Coordinates of all heavy atoms in Angstrom, one line a residue:
M1 N 23.2 62.5 193.0 CA 23.2 63.3 194.2 C 22.6 62.6 195.4 O 23.1 62.7 196.5 CB 22.4 64.6 193.9 CG 23.0 65.5 192.8 SD 24.6 66.2 193.2 CE 24.2 67.4 194.4
Q2 N 21.5 61.8 195.2 CA 20.9 61.1 196.3 C 21.9 60.1 196.8 O 22.0 59.8 198.0 CB 19.6 60.5 195.8 CG 18.5 61.5 195.6 CD 17.3 60.9 195.0 OE1 17.3 59.9 194.3 NE2 16.1 61.5 195.3
Q3 N 22.7 59.5 195.9 CA 23.7 58.5 196.4 C 24.8 59.1 197.2 O 25.4 58.4 198.0 CB 24.3 57.8 195.2 CG 23.4 56.9 194.4 CD 24.0 56.3 193.2 OE1 25.1 56.6 192.8 NE2 23.2 55.5 192.5
L4 N 24.9 60.4 197.1 CA 25.9 61.1 197.9 C 25.3 61.6 199.3 O 26.0 62.3 200.1 CB 26.5 62.4 197.2 CG 27.3 62.0 195.9 CD1 27.6 63.3 195.2 CD2 28.5 61.3 196.3
G5 N 24.0 61.3 199.5 CA 23.4 61.6 200.8 C 22.5 62.9 200.8 O 22.0 63.2 201.8
F6 N 22.4 63.5 199.6 CA 21.5 64.7 199.5 C 20.0 64.2 199.5 O 19.7 63.2 198.9 CB 21.7 65.5 198.3 CG 23.1 66.2 198.3 CD1 24.2 65.5 197.8 CD2 23.2 67.4 198.8 CE1 25.4 66.2 197.8 CE2 24.4 68.1 198.8 CZ 25.6 67.4 198.3
T7 N 19.2 64.8 200.2 CA 17.8 64.4 200.4 C 16.8 65.2 199.6 O 15.7 64.8 199.2 CB 17.3 64.4 201.8 OG1 17.5 65.7 202.4 CG2 18.2 63.4 202.6
N8 N 17.1 66.5 199.3 CA 16.2 67.3 198.6 C 16.8 67.6 197.2 O 17.1 68.7 196.9 CB 15.9 68.6 199.3 CG 14.8 69.5 198.8 OD1 14.0 69.0 198.0 ND2 14.7 70.7 199.2
V9 N 16.8 66.6 196.3 CA 17.5 66.6 195.1 C 16.5 67.0 194.0 O 15.4 66.5 193.9 CB 18.1 65.3 194.7 CG1 18.8 65.3 193.4 CG2 19.1 64.9 195.8
V10 N 16.9 68.0 193.1 CA 16.1 68.4 192.0 C 17.0 68.4 190.7 O 18.2 68.5 190.9 CB 15.4 69.7 192.2 CG1 14.3 69.6 193.3 CG2 16.4 70.8 192.5
S11 N 16.4 68.5 189.6 CA 17.2 68.5 188.3 C 17.6 69.9 187.9 O 16.7 70.8 188.0 CB 16.4 67.8 187.2 OG 17.0 67.9 186.0
L12 N 18.8 70.0 187.4 CA 19.2 71.3 186.8 C 19.5 71.0 185.3 O 20.3 71.7 184.7 CB 20.5 71.8 187.5 CG 20.3 72.5 188.8 CD1 21.6 72.9 189.4 CD2 19.5 73.8 188.6
R13 N 18.8 70.1 184.8 CA 19.0 69.7 183.4 C 18.9 70.9 182.4 O 19.6 71.0 181.5 CB 17.9 68.7 183.0 CG 18.1 68.2 181.6 CD 17.1 67.1 181.3 NE 17.4 66.4 180.1 CZ 16.7 65.4 179.6 NH1 15.7 65.0 180.3 NH2 17.0 64.9 178.5
T14 N 18.0 71.9 182.7 CA 17.8 73.0 181.8 C 18.7 74.2 182.3 O 18.6 75.3 181.7 CB 16.4 73.5 181.8 OG1 15.9 73.8 183.1 CG2 15.5 72.4 181.2
G15 N 19.5 74.0 183.3 CA 20.4 75.0 183.8 C 19.7 76.0 184.6 O 18.6 75.9 184.9
M16 N 20.5 77.1 185.0 CA 19.9 78.1 185.9 C 18.8 78.9 185.2 O 17.8 79.3 185.8 CB 21.0 79.1 186.3 CG 22.0 78.5 187.3 SD 21.2 77.8 188.8 CE 20.4 79.2 189.5
R17 N 18.9 79.1 183.9 CA 17.8 79.8 183.2 C 16.5 79.0 183.2 O 15.4 79.5 183.4 CB 18.2 80.1 181.7 CG 19.2 81.1 181.6 CD 18.6 82.5 181.9 NE 19.7 83.4 182.2 CZ 19.6 84.5 182.9 NH1 18.4 84.9 183.4 NH2 20.6 85.3 183.1
G18 N 16.6 77.7 183.0 CA 15.4 76.8 183.0 C 14.9 76.8 184.4 O 13.7 76.8 184.6
W19 N 15.8 76.7 185.4 CA 15.3 76.8 186.8 C 14.5 78.0 187.1 O 13.4 78.0 187.7 CB 16.6 76.7 187.7 CG 16.3 76.6 189.2 CD1 16.2 77.6 190.1 CD2 16.0 75.4 189.9 NE1 16.0 77.1 191.3 CE2 15.8 75.8 191.3 CE3 15.9 74.1 189.6 CZ2 15.6 74.9 192.3 CZ3 15.6 73.2 190.5 CH2 15.5 73.6 191.9
S20 N 15.0 79.1 186.6 CA 14.3 80.4 186.8 C 13.0 80.4 186.0 O 12.0 80.9 186.4 CB 15.2 81.6 186.4 OG 14.5 82.8 186.5
D21 N 13.0 79.9 184.7 CA 11.8 79.9 183.9 C 10.7 79.1 184.5 O 9.5 79.4 184.3 CB 12.2 79.3 182.5 CG 13.0 80.2 181.7 OD1 13.2 81.4 182.0 OD2 13.6 79.7 180.7
Y22 N 11.1 78.1 185.3 CA 10.0 77.3 186.0 C 9.7 77.9 187.4 O 9.0 77.3 188.2 CB 10.5 75.8 186.2 CG 10.4 75.0 184.9 CD1 11.6 74.8 184.1 CD2 9.2 74.6 184.4 CE1 11.5 74.0 183.0 CE2 9.1 73.9 183.2 CZ 10.3 73.6 182.5 OH 10.2 72.9 181.3
E23 N 10.2 79.1 187.6 CA 9.9 79.9 188.8 C 10.3 79.2 190.1 O 9.6 79.2 191.1 CB 8.4 80.3 188.8 CG 8.1 81.2 187.6 CD 6.6 81.7 187.6 OE1 5.9 81.4 188.6 OE2 6.3 82.3 186.6
Q24 N 11.4 78.5 190.0 CA 11.9 77.8 191.2 C 12.8 78.8 192.0 O 13.5 79.6 191.4 CB 12.8 76.6 190.8 CG 12.0 75.5 190.0 CD 10.9 75.0 190.9 OE1 11.1 74.6 192.0 NE2 9.7 74.9 190.3
P25 N 12.8 78.7 193.3 CA 13.6 79.7 194.1 C 15.1 79.4 193.9 O 15.5 78.2 193.8 CB 13.1 79.4 195.5 CG 12.6 78.0 195.5 CD 12.1 77.8 194.1
V26 N 15.8 80.5 193.9 CA 17.3 80.4 193.9 C 17.7 81.0 195.2 O 17.6 82.2 195.3 CB 17.9 81.1 192.6 CG1 19.4 81.0 192.7 CG2 17.4 80.5 191.3
V27 N 18.3 80.2 196.1 CA 18.7 80.7 197.4 C 20.0 80.2 197.7 O 20.5 79.1 197.2 CB 17.6 80.3 198.5 CG1 16.3 80.9 198.2 CG2 17.5 78.8 198.6
D28 N 20.7 80.9 198.6 CA 22.0 80.4 199.1 C 21.8 79.5 200.3 O 20.7 79.1 200.7 CB 22.9 81.6 199.4 CG 22.4 82.5 200.6 OD1 21.5 82.0 201.3 OD2 22.9 83.6 200.8
G29 N 22.9 79.1 200.9 CA 22.9 78.1 202.0 C 22.1 78.6 203.2 O 21.6 77.8 204.0
A30 N 22.0 79.9 203.3 CA 21.3 80.5 204.5 C 19.8 80.8 204.1 O 19.1 81.2 205.0 CB 22.0 81.8 204.9
G31 N 19.4 80.4 202.9 CA 18.1 80.6 202.5 C 17.8 82.0 201.9 O 16.6 82.3 201.6
A32 N 18.8 82.8 201.8 CA 18.6 84.2 201.2 C 18.5 84.1 199.7 O 19.2 83.3 199.1 CB 19.8 85.1 201.6
P33 N 17.6 84.9 199.1 CA 17.5 84.9 197.6 C 18.8 85.2 196.9 O 19.6 86.1 197.4 CB 16.5 86.0 197.3 CG 15.8 86.3 198.6 CD 16.8 85.9 199.7
V34 N 19.1 84.6 195.8 CA 20.3 84.9 195.0 C 19.8 85.2 193.6 O 18.9 84.6 193.0 CB 21.2 83.6 194.9 CG1 22.3 83.8 194.0 CG2 21.6 83.2 196.3
D35 N 20.4 86.3 193.0 CA 20.1 86.7 191.6 C 20.5 85.6 190.7 O 21.6 85.0 190.8 CB 20.9 88.0 191.3 CG 20.6 88.5 189.9 OD1 19.5 88.9 189.6 OD2 21.6 88.4 189.1
V36 N 19.6 85.3 189.7 CA 19.9 84.2 188.8 C 21.2 84.5 188.0 O 21.9 83.5 187.7 CB 18.7 84.0 187.8 CG1 19.0 83.0 186.7 CG2 17.5 83.6 188.6
D37 N 21.4 85.7 187.6 CA 22.6 86.0 186.8 C 23.9 85.7 187.7 O 24.9 85.2 187.2 CB 22.6 87.5 186.3 CG 21.6 87.7 185.3 OD1 21.3 86.8 184.5 OD2 21.0 88.8 185.3
E38 N 23.8 86.1 188.9 CA 24.9 85.8 189.8 C 25.1 84.3 190.0 O 26.3 83.8 190.0 CB 24.7 86.5 191.2 CG 25.8 86.3 192.2 CD 25.6 86.9 193.5 OE1 24.7 87.8 193.6 OE2 26.3 86.5 194.5
A39 N 24.1 83.6 190.2 CA 24.2 82.2 190.4 C 24.8 81.5 189.1 O 25.6 80.6 189.2 CB 22.8 81.6 190.7
E40 N 24.3 81.9 188.0 CA 24.8 81.4 186.7 C 26.3 81.6 186.6 O 27.1 80.7 186.2 CB 24.1 82.1 185.6 CG 23.9 81.2 184.4 CD 23.0 81.8 183.3 OE1 23.1 83.1 183.1 OE2 22.1 81.1 182.8
Q41 N 26.8 82.8 187.0 CA 28.2 83.2 186.9 C 29.0 82.3 187.9 O 30.1 81.8 187.5 CB 28.4 84.6 187.2 CG 29.8 85.1 187.0 CD 30.0 86.6 187.3 OE1 29.1 87.2 187.9 NE2 31.0 87.2 186.8
R42 N 28.5 82.1 189.1 CA 29.2 81.3 190.1 C 29.3 79.9 189.7 O 30.2 79.2 190.0 CB 28.5 81.4 191.4 CG 28.7 82.8 192.1 CD 28.1 82.7 193.5 NE 28.4 84.0 194.1 CZ 28.2 84.2 195.4 NH1 27.8 83.1 196.2 NH2 28.4 85.3 196.0
L43 N 28.3 79.3 189.0 CA 28.2 77.9 188.6 C 28.9 77.6 187.3 O 29.1 76.5 187.0 CB 26.8 77.4 188.6 CG 26.1 77.5 190.0 CD1 24.6 77.1 189.8 CD2 26.7 76.5 190.9
A44 N 29.2 78.6 186.5 CA 29.9 78.4 185.2 C 31.3 77.9 185.4 O 32.0 78.2 186.3 CB 29.9 79.8 184.5
P45 N 31.6 76.9 184.6 CA 33.0 76.4 184.7 C 34.0 77.4 184.3 O 33.8 78.2 183.4 CB 33.0 75.2 183.7 CG 31.9 75.5 182.7 CD 30.9 76.3 183.5
H46 N 35.1 77.5 185.1 CA 36.1 78.5 184.8 C 37.4 77.7 184.5 O 37.9 76.9 185.3 CB 36.4 79.4 186.0 CG 35.2 80.3 186.3 ND1 34.2 79.9 187.2 CD2 34.8 81.4 185.8 CE1 33.3 80.8 187.3 NE2 33.6 81.8 186.4
V47 N 37.9 77.9 183.3 CA 39.1 77.2 182.9 C 40.3 78.1 182.9 O 40.3 79.2 182.3 CB 38.9 76.6 181.4 CG1 40.2 75.9 181.0 CG2 37.7 75.7 181.4
R48 N 41.3 77.7 183.7 CA 42.5 78.6 183.7 C 43.3 78.4 182.4 O 43.2 77.4 181.7 CB 43.4 78.1 184.9 CG 42.8 78.2 186.3 CD 43.8 77.8 187.3 NE 44.7 76.7 187.0 CZ 44.5 75.5 187.5 NH1 43.5 75.2 188.4 NH2 45.3 74.5 187.1
P49 N 44.1 79.4 182.1 CA 44.9 79.4 180.8 C 45.7 78.1 180.7 O 45.9 77.6 179.6 CB 45.7 80.6 180.9 CG 44.9 81.6 181.7 CD 44.2 80.7 182.8
D50 N 46.3 77.7 181.8 CA 47.2 76.5 181.8 C 46.4 75.2 181.6 O 47.0 74.1 181.3 CB 48.0 76.4 183.1 CG 47.2 76.2 184.3 OD1 46.3 77.0 184.6 OD2 47.5 75.3 185.1
Q51 N 45.1 75.2 181.7 CA 44.2 74.1 181.5 C 43.7 74.0 180.0 O 43.2 73.0 179.6 CB 43.0 74.1 182.4 CG 43.4 74.0 183.9 CD 42.2 74.1 184.7 OE1 41.4 75.0 184.5 NE2 42.1 73.3 185.7
R52 N 43.9 75.0 179.2 CA 43.5 75.0 177.9 C 44.4 74.3 177.0 O 45.6 74.1 177.3 CB 43.3 76.5 177.4 CG 42.3 77.2 178.2 CD 42.1 78.6 177.6 NE 41.0 79.2 178.4 CZ 41.1 80.5 178.9 NH1 42.2 81.2 178.6 NH2 40.2 81.0 179.6
S53 N 43.9 73.8 175.8 CA 44.7 73.1 174.8 C 45.8 74.1 174.3 O 45.5 75.3 174.1 CB 43.9 72.6 173.7 OG 43.0 71.7 174.2
P54 N 47.0 73.6 174.0 CA 48.0 74.5 173.4 C 47.5 74.9 172.0 O 46.8 74.2 171.3 CB 49.2 73.6 173.3 CG 48.8 72.2 173.5 CD 47.4 72.3 174.2
A55 N 48.0 76.1 171.6 CA 47.6 76.6 170.3 C 48.3 75.8 169.2 O 49.4 75.3 169.4 CB 48.1 78.1 170.1
S56 N 47.7 75.6 168.1 CA 48.2 74.7 167.0 C 49.2 75.5 166.2 O 49.2 76.7 166.0 CB 47.1 74.3 166.1 OG 46.2 73.5 166.8

């Protein structure tokens, strides 16, 4: 992330739940608080049906 130019980089190694467990703030781009469940849902990978492996 730092190589991409970000200056305030932190680890999300433990995911959003770990971030919350360490009582780190979850905020949007405007600095407004974001619900951890909502953030987790937004950051979860979404695979479209056409991207899935064909059934055997």
